[in-house]
Amino acid sequence: MSQGQGGLLIITMLFGGIFTFFGWVSKTQNAGDMINGFDSKKHDKEKVSKIFGNHFLFIGLSVIVVGIIGIVLNRDNFNIFMHTQTVIVIVGIIKTIYAIEKHGKIEKE
């Protein structure tokens, strides 16, 4: 295993594992209130948990898939795969925040 592959594997397992774990915990344990910025007067805990969990599971699994593809293809330029993973994480977090603000609010009757 080359140095580039080792670095890609570490980044993949670290970021992919963390995002997948937090997504799974939020979704299965209804833990949307663990998010920094969660306001129980403004946000519906179940909606936020579902949105956060689904988005973070997708981010984590996407990072893992891109990392595995990078390792399997065995290219010399691993920066492409690391940059792709970084873009997935940043865009995923922005999309998660947007979805929570748009769809995670308490319905007014």
Side-chain angles (χ1 to χ4, degrees), residues 31-89:
D33 55 348
M34 75 176 181
I35 302 168
N36 192 16
F38 177 81
D39 183 4
S40 60
K41 296 174 188 151
K42 181 176 153 185
H43 297 107
D44 183 344
K45 182 179 175 181
E46 290 181 20
K47 288 180 185 178
V48 170
S49 298
K50 185 176 178 183
I51 293 168
F52 183 82
N54 287 338
H55 281 83
F56 269 49
L57 276 171
F58 182 77
I59 293 168
L61 294 176
S62 297
V63 166
I64 290 171
V65 167
V66 169
I68 290 172
I69 290 171
I71 292 168
V72 168
L73 291 180
N74 199 17
R75 303 278 181 196
D76 290 332
N77 192 357
F78 290 100
N79 289 333
I80 295 170
F81 297 102
M82 288 189 181
H83 291 323
T84 303
Q85 290 173 327
T86 304
V87 168
I88 289 170
V89 169

Side-chain angles (χ1 to χ4, degrees), residues 2-32:
S2 71
Q3 185 177 6
Q5 281 181 318
L8 183 61
L9 182 63
I10 290 169
I11 297 294
T12 297
M13 292 302 126
L14 184 67
F15 279 115
I18 288 171
F19 280 96
T20 303
F21 175 74
F22 281 133
W24 174 77
V25 167
S26 177
K27 189 172 182 173
T28 59
Q29 304 301 317
N30 197 24

